[in-house]
Amino acid sequence: MSKTLIRGAKVLGGRALDVLIDGETVAAVGAGLDADGARVVEAGGQILLPGLVDLHTHLREPGREDSETVLTGTRAAASGGYTAVHAMANTFPVADTAGVVEQVWRLGRESGHCDVQPVGAVTVGLEGKQLAELGAMHESAASVRVFSDDGKCVDDAVIMRRALEYVKAFDGVIAQHAQEPRLTEGAQMNEGTVSAELGLGGWPAVAEESIIARDVLLAAHVGSRLHICHLSTAGSVEIVRWAKSKGWNVTAEVTPHHLLLTDELVRSYDPVYKVNPPLRTEADVRALREALADGTIDCVATDHAPHPHEDKDCEWGAAAMGMVGLETALSVVQHTMVETGMLDWAGVADRMSFRPAAIGRLAGQGRPVSAGEPANLTLVDPAYRGTVDSARFASRSRNTPYQGRELPGRVTHTFLRGRATVMDGKLV
Ligand code: DOR
Ligand code: ZN
């Protein structure tokens, strides 16, 4: 089996150490380790993190391979420093049966770039009417533990209650896309002063907050695990903070774009900024950053939502919602959280690897960088400065809001169970 010595890496941002990988495993972590025939990667003080884990990735296969495939999406993930992603269920056909989740799981295994954990739909066809085969998806080879109708809200309170009850038996979790459908009919952007000025249909914060309030109460009532996808408002943060103070089993994620961008950008009418939930206000961004820093929000999830240019390069009203995120997530987090002093690198490891892996109950991912652990690792050069160029993305889609923007940091190496998927900044 091959050996790699990563020399002089600041493990989780701490002291510079050497890390020896032997086969699939971290064999030793220490100062002055002997290379002993191993391939040497000179880290030169770069930051070594556990491989990143995404709870919220749209890989689009099956059905929308023009946007992304499991292969291209996992290549994008590896480029961004990820060693595992959760593949959302809003594919065609929807991942609401054991057959479809097994297909996605198998494609992930064949891709070899990162682990793919399929998410199962909560309801048949994401239609919100009838529970999908949650048990069969869990029992399948894909061992599904996270269920979500993401893209749509499970708005029927009885269905939501039943789903929470059902997954309790096998320690599953329902990941809710919190969007009250009646309050967001015709909504095109955040409801506020900008939407009023532009005359675009507004998407009120209460549409998100009312569902979160209902669902944390339901989760408490049932005693189940609830995860809230892409929190976007200050009010949502307050509700999650309250639910956690009660000791309820509620977790939450925030996307990189909601940590950085605001609805002011919609004035450009550039659909690259059209996303669900919508970009909110400066005050919301501040509250989201603070909540991620203090742990009220558990993790960063990309909501990587690739779309082909014909679905995005059109007028605002007709454009699809979503933006790609896997290849820029860590840079945005460095910019918004590390360089503002709100999180250190150990905090980044926690919010982008340890906690998302724990929420998804992923074995072998989100583990400490120490001897005996699987060698899922990401080496980051935090001093790097460069402009985002979507032409260089491994993703099949180009719908990034950061095109041409300078963002800090670069993933130089990613290791999946000891095998380099990214080496010197290039996909292997
Ligand atoms: O912007 C979004 N795009 N939000 C979602 O919830 C779904 C996603 C998609 O599938 O494109
Ligand atoms: Zn969503």
Side-chain angles (χ1 to χ4, degrees):
M1 259 320 230
S2 69
K3 289 187 184 183
T4 304
L5 182 70
I6 304 172
R7 191 182 271 147
K10 292 181 178 159
V11 178
L12 272 56
R15 207 154 63 84
L17 294 170
D18 302 341
V19 175
L20 181 66
I21 301 170
D22 188 356
E24 300 191 352
T25 310
V26 174
V29 179
L33 295 185
D34 197 341
D36 191 23
R39 168 181 62 178
V40 176
V41 171
E42 292 292 351
Q46 293 180 45
I47 310 291
L48 189 66
L49 299 174
L52 307 183
V53 175
D54 195 14
L55 267 179
H56 194 144
T57 310
H58 296 275
L59 291 178
R60 302 296 192 219
E61 191 174 2
R64 284 307 302 264
E65 292 83 355
D66 55 330
S67 310
E68 196 80 284
T69 63
V70 172
L71 185 62
T72 60
T74 52
R75 284 167 63 84
S79 293
Y82 287 86
T83 51
V85 300
H86 288 74
M88 273 299 170
N90 63 340
T91 48
F92 302 93
V94 170
D96 58 3
T97 61
V100 179
V101 293
E102 281 190 356
Q103 181 191 356
V104 173
W105 176 77
R106 229 180 350 261
L107 288 166
R109 296 245 299 198
E110 287 162 11
S111 91
H113 295 284
C114 82
D115 287 352
V116 174
Q117 174 58 58
V119 172
V122 177
T123 68
V124 174
L126 308 178
E127 282 175 357
K129 302 271 185 278
Q130 192 189 335
L131 274 193
E133 308 172 351
L134 309 184
M137 288 189 270
H138 173 68
E139 292 299 323
S140 76
S143 305
V144 177
R145 280 201 176 74
V146 182
F147 296 88
S148 182
D149 275 2
D150 181 63
K152 288 191 176 171
C153 181
V154 181
D155 65 313
D156 183 312
V158 174
I159 300 266
M160 189 61 184
R161 175 188 177 162
R162 296 268 176 271
L164 286 164
E165 283 169 344
Y166 201 107
V167 299
K168 198 179 164 184
F170 50 83
D171 193 28
V173 59
I174 304 295
Q176 175 68 295
H177 170 118
Q179 177 187 358
E180 212 293 315
R182 292 274 289 142
L183 287 170
T184 51
E185 277 171 18
Q188 294 285 334
M189 67 172 295
N190 177 49
E191 181 179 299
T193 52
V194 181
S195 69
E197 280 176 44
L198 298 180
L200 288 173
W203 190 308
V206 65
E208 176 171 313
E209 294 155 5
S210 57
I211 293 290
I212 297 176
R214 181 200 74 178
D215 286 354
V216 298
L217 291 167
L218 273 178
H221 179 63
V222 174
S224 280
R225 285 209 290 145
L226 170 72
H227 178 74
I228 313 288
C229 297
H230 40 53
L231 244 67
S232 73
T233 78
S236 297
V237 166
E238 284 312 302
I239 298 164
V240 170
R241 190 171 278 136
W242 171 71
K244 288 193 168 187
S245 77
K246 295 282 203 181
W248 299 340
N249 228 330
V250 175
T251 55
E253 67 187 34
V254 63
T255 70
H257 46 275
H258 289 107
L259 290 172
L260 179 58
L261 309 176
T262 71
D263 63 352
E264 288 293 330
L265 291 161
V266 181
R267 292 183 190 281
S268 68
Y269 289 105
D270 185 340
V272 80
Y273 301 117
K274 185 173 175 182
V275 65
N276 176 352
L279 301 177
R280 304 287 189 178
T281 67
E282 201 61 58
D284 294 307
V285 167
R286 207 175 317 119
L288 293 166
R289 289 184 185 185
E290 282 165 8
L292 184 65
D294 73 20
T296 302
I297 295 178
D298 298 81
C299 62
V300 175
T302 66
D303 197 4
H304 176 81
H307 291 290
H309 77 91
E310 57 275 22
D311 291 352
K312 284 301 267 186
D313 297 344
C314 50
E315 71 272 28
W316 182 275
M321 290 185 277
M323 35 185 76
V324 292
L326 286 168
E327 292 170 83
T328 49
L330 188 56
S331 289
V332 173
V333 170
Q334 183 181 336
H335 175 60
T336 57
M337 300 300 296
V338 180
E339 296 188 348
T340 54
M342 298 183 82
L343 273 187
D344 57 15
W345 286 104
V348 173
D350 185 63
R351 309 301 197 272
M352 296 185 80
S353 179
F354 298 149
R355 290 224 224 174
I359 292 166
R361 303 285 195 258
L362 286 189
Q365 294 281 350
R367 304 292 307 159
V369 180
S370 52
E373 296 288 353
N376 295 314
L377 301 167
T378 295
L379 192 60
V380 191
D381 177 5
Y384 179 85
R385 292 289 180 279
T387 50
V388 176
D389 180 5
S390 64
R392 295 210 294 257
F393 281 174
S395 171
R396 182 159 284 180
S397 289
R398 301 280 174 263
N399 51 305
T400 175
Y402 312 116
Q403 177 62 22
R405 190 194 267 256
E406 188 177 297
L407 286 176
R410 186 170 79 122
V411 171
T412 62
H413 295 76
T414 308
F415 294 92
L416 177 64
R417 281 181 290 281
R419 194 172 51 78
T421 54
V422 174
M423 196 72 186
D424 296 318
K426 292 186 189 66
L427 278 163
V428 178

